[in-house]
């Protein structure tokens, strides 16, 4: 292949500029332009996708240069993260060595493409002078209570022995190794992105006409706002325990014949405390947590569940509603508990059929009747029937009326639910920016002082995955003093997800 001689072309342009007196870069120092492209992972060789991507930025940078702008067009490497670590483990060489070898090769490829970057401004997210700022950003979010720690069921890849974000799972399998993803309960760090759900949604309006409508719609679905009602179902045995349910269809409340709790929900421990079905429920939960969420949510999968032996009370009729645990209910769907309305929700219908539960019809179509025996749930709006004082109402208006009554009883309130979840950012892996937190027996969770940044990633660590953080094996790294009380304390052994770096 004949190499494209970029310097020859550049010389030709220089001549044209001089002869035609076209404006030159830097002619107007106050005209500044900043072009930033997405940095690549140096996880292997560059491919045509990279080429296509970086040419776009280059075209813009060159055009602006010709227009007399002082152009800043830097480049860098998103060089922490699982791809580098996995490749290093397979080849038994240090992730750093492997990463920088790839960077050298990729940099040469980009230079051959003739793309104009300010190479003296090249950055590496895996170098301390960069990840100091990744850690600084973490501390800022921590101080503003937007970074927090909690015990959570997390997606876990048994083969990579690491926690995965939802975005790192494809069809229930680990994006990296293809093994099926399961669940594990661990203390994790989160960024509280849900605080911004409403603003994210609102600002999508600003992108109309600029982004493809399809992409805006995908973003909207990802945020997944739904307006509805939160209803408290009181536990029969202990009036202090409320099973909170989120629904967009409060008009179907008279059709509730059971409740189903997701297997992850903590409330189950209280419900089954003295139940004769306790062991059966615990076995079911253990099995469920091994099944991927995608599979659990699949409409094609046969519904499964287990009776807890306990009941909740219907807020209007006082009827006893059996409480089940069922894995078709996902922990983060609304409150993780659903009111079973088999007459008007297809998944509840299938569950009720399987478990031989009552099916009540409480909504009928506007222009026809509906029989007692149905073949599938009637999910549309219509006229409320068999619904006490609400019978005869248009079901859309019924939602409002039912909510008013629940509010008066102190058993319900209007509520907004988002599909968007807080961002789980901690990883039990080596090749990432250490989380700048110290765990002290006296003071609890203490942030590292800003002046002590960066918290350096130690060079010598056994990074072969063992299901816990590799940094825990390095005592020199782990043992430190508490910034507050000066007593002996431990560092946080986790590193940050690579998306935090970029
Ligand atoms: Zn302390």
């Amino acid at each position: 292949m004949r190499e494209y001689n970029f310097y020859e072309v550049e010389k030709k342009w220089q001549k044209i500029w001089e002869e035609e007196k076209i404006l030159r870069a830097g002619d107007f120092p106050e005209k500044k332009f900043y072009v930033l492209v997405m940095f690549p992972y140096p996880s292997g060789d560059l491919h045509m996708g990279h080429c296509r991507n970086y040419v776009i930025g280059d075209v813009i940078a060159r055009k602006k240069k010709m227009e007399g702008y002082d152009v800043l067009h830097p480049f860098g490497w998103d060089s922490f993260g699982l791809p580098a670590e996995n490749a290093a483990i397979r080849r038994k060489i240090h992730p750093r060595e492997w990463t920088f070898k790839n960077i050298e090769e990729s940099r040469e490829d980009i230079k051959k493409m003739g793309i104009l970057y300010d190479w003296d401004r090249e950055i590496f997210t895996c170098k301390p002078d960069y990840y100091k700022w990744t850690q600084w950003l973490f501390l800022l979010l921590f101080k503003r209570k937007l970074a927090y720690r909690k015990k959570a069921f997390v997606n876990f890849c048994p083969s990579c022995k690491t926690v995965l974000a939802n975005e790192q799972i494809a069809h229930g399998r680990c994006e990296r190794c293809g093994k099926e993803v399961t669940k594990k309960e661990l203390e994790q760090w989160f960024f509280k992105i849900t605080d911004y759900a409403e603003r994210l949604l609102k600002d999508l309006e600003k992108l109309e006409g600029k982004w493809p409508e399809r992409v805006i719609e995908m973003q909207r679905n990802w945020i997944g706002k739904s307006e509805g009602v939160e209803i408290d179902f009181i536990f029969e045995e202990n009036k202090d325990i409320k099973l909170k349910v989120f629904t967009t269809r409060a008009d179907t409340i008279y059709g509730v014949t059971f409740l189903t709790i997701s297997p992850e929900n903590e409330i189950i421990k209280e419900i089954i405390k003295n139940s004769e079905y306790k062991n059966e429920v615990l076995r079911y939960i253990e099995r469920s947590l091994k099944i991927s969420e995608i599979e659990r949510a699949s409409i094609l999968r046969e519904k499964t569940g287990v009776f807890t032996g306990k009941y909740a009370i219907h807020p209007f009729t006082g009827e006893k509603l059996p409480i089940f645990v069922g894995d078709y209910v996902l922990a983060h769907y609304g409150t993780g508990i659903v009111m079973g309305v088999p007459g008007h929700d297809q998944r509840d219908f299938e569950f009720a059929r399987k478990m031989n539960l009552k099916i009540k019809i409480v909504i009928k179509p506007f222009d026809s009747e509906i029989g007692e025996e149905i073949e599938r749930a009637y999910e549309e709006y219509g006229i409320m029937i068999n619904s006490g004082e609400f019978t005869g109402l248009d079901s859309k208006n019924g939602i409002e009326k039912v909510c008013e009554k629940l509010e008066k009883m102190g058993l319900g309130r209007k509520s907004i639910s988002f599909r968007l979840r807080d961002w789980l950012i901690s990883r039990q892996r080596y090749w990432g920016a250490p989380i700048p937190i110290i765990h002290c027996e006296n003071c609890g969770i203490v942030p590292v002082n800003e002046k002590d940044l960066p918290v350096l990633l130690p060079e010598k660590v056994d990074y072969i995955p063992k299901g816990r953080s590799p940094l825990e094996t390095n005592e020199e790294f782990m043992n430190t003093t508490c910034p507050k009380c000066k007593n002996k304390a431990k560092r946080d052994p986790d590193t940050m997800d690579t998306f935090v770096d970029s």
Side-chain angles (χ1 to χ4, degrees):
M1 193 182 83
R2 201 167 70 90
E3 248 178 58
Y4 176 75
N5 196 330
F6 162 69
Y7 296 97
E8 280 300 311
V9 177
E10 195 78 335
K11 246 188 263 167
K12 258 187 225 163
W13 268 106
Q14 199 165 352
K15 218 171 140 228
I16 294 169
W17 273 325
E18 277 158 14
E19 283 167 9
E20 310 265 325
K21 305 224 177 326
I22 292 172
L23 293 175
R24 297 296 311 272
D27 277 357
F28 299 100
E30 70 277 13
K31 281 173 83 175
K32 289 181 179 176
F33 201 82
Y34 180 34
V35 185
L36 184 69
V37 291
M38 193 163 77
F39 298 159
Y41 285 115
S43 56
D45 299 336
L46 292 188
H47 50 72
M48 278 315 288
H50 289 112
C51 181
R52 216 168 66 168
N53 190 28
Y54 298 135
V55 161
I56 298 168
D58 196 45
V59 166
I60 293 167
R62 283 166 184 269
K63 178 174 181 282
K64 288 294 170 188
K65 205 180 151 195
M66 288 173 191
E67 287 170 355
Y69 282 82
D70 200 1
V71 179
L72 176 59
H73 192 201
F75 200 66
W77 308 92
D78 196 355
S79 44
F80 263 147
L82 260 188
E85 190 162 343
N86 281 347
I89 290 164
R90 275 199 303 275
R91 293 171 173 80
K92 296 200 169 46
I93 53 169
H94 197 282
R96 173 177 287 107
E97 197 185 316
W98 188 83
T99 299
F100 279 97
K101 193 178 130 306
N102 277 327
I103 288 175
E104 294 303 318
E105 278 174 28
S106 303
R107 190 195 290 115
E108 286 316 302
D109 286 350
I110 288 175
K111 283 185 176 169
K112 276 181 202 157
M113 285 181 215
I115 293 175
L116 276 184
Y117 289 124
D118 300 318
W119 286 108
D120 53 345
R121 293 179 193 268
E122 185 182 19
I123 59 147
F124 309 83
T125 63
C126 66
K127 280 193 174 177
D129 62 347
Y130 183 93
Y131 69 68
K132 174 187 173 170
W133 297 105
T134 309
Q135 293 172 337
W136 179 86
L137 205 65
F138 179 95
L139 289 180
L140 185 67
L141 294 172
F142 180 78
K143 279 169 202 156
R144 297 188 178 173
K145 298 193 166 41
L146 292 168
Y148 68 95
R149 202 164 126 102
K150 73 166 184 198
K151 213 164 196 184
F153 276 98
V154 293
N155 301 309
F156 189 78
C157 171
S159 167
C160 297
K161 293 191 168 60
T162 192
V163 172
L164 301 170
N166 286 332
E167 290 76 9
Q168 290 165 319
I169 300 169
H171 308 292
R173 291 172 183 278
C174 173
E175 178 192 66
R176 288 292 146 202
C177 73
K179 285 268 152 54
E180 224 166 296
V181 174
T182 64
K183 294 251 163 174
K184 192 174 176 178
E185 199 176 25
L186 287 173
E187 284 280 350
Q188 294 290 332
W189 284 100
F190 290 86
F191 285 165
K192 210 171 173 211
I193 57 173
T194 50
D195 270 14
Y196 297 85
E198 196 70 61
R199 210 169 112 189
L200 276 171
L201 191 66
K202 204 174 163 293
D203 284 357
L204 283 175
E205 289 166 19
K206 294 183 187 170
L207 297 171
E208 268 160 34
K210 293 178 186 148
W211 279 21
E213 190 48 48
R214 187 177 55 86
V215 177
I216 295 177
E217 198 48 38
M218 273 165 69
Q219 291 289 314
R220 256 189 213 117
N221 288 336
W222 175 66
I223 298 165
K225 180 180 178 175
S226 51
E227 288 176 49
V229 183
E230 193 180 75
I231 305 171
D232 301 337
F233 287 84
I234 307 289
F235 185 41
E236 188 197 19
E237 256 174 39
N238 179 351
K239 306 265 176 289
D240 293 333
I241 297 177
K242 292 171 184 157
L243 290 97
K244 285 185 193 300
V245 157
F246 174 81
T247 178
T248 56
R249 292 296 303 271
D251 54 320
T252 64
I253 190 160
Y254 279 83
V256 179
T257 58
F258 61 93
L259 296 181
T260 309
I261 310 178
S262 86
E264 289 92 341
N265 203 310
E266 288 284 317
I267 206 168
I268 298 169
K269 286 178 192 152
E270 286 294 323
I271 304 282
I272 61 169
K273 218 157 46 182
N274 52 19
S275 166
E276 54 181 309
Y277 297 93
K278 188 174 176 177
N279 289 333
E280 215 179 317
V281 173
L282 291 176
R283 272 199 301 277
Y284 176 81
I285 292 174
E286 204 187 312
R287 276 201 308 275
S288 301
L289 296 180
K290 289 187 183 140
I291 303 167
S292 74
E293 281 202 356
I294 311 246
E295 197 186 332
R296 276 169 58 181
S298 163
I299 49 165
L300 299 171
R301 186 166 164 262
E302 197 181 341
K303 304 283 174 288
T304 67
V306 61
F307 181 43
T308 61
K310 302 290 172 179
Y311 297 87
I313 303 299
H314 191 289
F316 291 171
T317 66
E319 268 174 292
K320 281 169 71 173
L321 306 168
I323 303 171
F324 287 82
V325 176
D327 65 13
Y328 75 100
V329 181
L330 300 180
H332 50 76
Y333 174 84
T335 60
I337 307 177
V338 300
M339 57 181 214
V341 188
H344 305 285
D345 181 284
Q346 186 57 24
R347 293 181 320 157
D348 296 344
F349 178 79
E350 287 163 22
F351 188 76
R353 274 268 172 102
K354 180 88 188 290
M355 299 287 165
N356 282 319
L357 298 165
K358 261 189 287 179
I359 297 175
K360 282 190 185 169
I361 308 299
V362 295
I363 309 283
K364 75 172 195 69
F366 289 108
D367 50 6
S368 63
E369 296 305 313
I370 190 165
E372 284 292 304
E373 292 295 314
I374 51 169
E375 278 313 306
R376 58 178 294 120
Y378 176 72
E379 293 185 323
E380 310 298 314
Y381 292 104
I383 305 290
M384 290 173 76
I385 55 172
N386 305 321
S387 295
E389 65 194 86
F390 304 99
T391 298
L393 278 181
D394 179 320
S395 65
K396 265 189 188 167
N397 299 331
I399 293 176
E400 193 70 25
K401 298 275 183 245
V402 168
C403 182
E404 276 169 25
K405 182 166 176 181
L406 286 165
E407 267 173 354
K408 265 187 214 142
M409 296 167 76
L411 292 174
R413 58 215 67 88
K414 278 191 185 158
S415 171
I416 289 168
S417 173
F418 288 98
R419 214 166 74 87
L420 184 74
R421 309 270 49 110
D422 280 343
W423 180 17
L424 196 163
I425 60 112
S426 42
R427 294 287 175 273
Q428 288 68 53
R429 296 299 286 244
Y430 166 65
W431 194 235
I435 289 174
I437 288 288
I438 289 164
H439 299 275
C440 170
E441 275 182 17
N442 307 320
C443 315
I445 292 174
V446 185
V448 169
N449 281 327
E450 231 175 75
K451 66 172 174 49
D452 296 330
L453 295 182
V455 175
L456 287 173
L457 184 69
E459 189 73 24
K460 284 205 180 87
V461 164
D462 177 10
Y463 48 82
I464 304 300
K466 290 165 192 70
R468 60 175 189 151
S469 303
L471 290 179
E472 268 185 72
T473 61
N474 187 313
E475 295 209 350
E476 207 184 318
F477 172 82
M478 288 299 289
N479 294 325
T480 184
T481 50
C482 170
K484 264 193 196 161
C485 71
K486 309 295 173 203
N487 279 335
K488 280 185 182 168
K490 297 265 185 212
R491 287 197 188 279
D492 196 293
D494 287 356
T495 54
M496 282 183 252
D497 179 17
T498 168
F499 290 121
V500 183
D501 305 324
S502 53

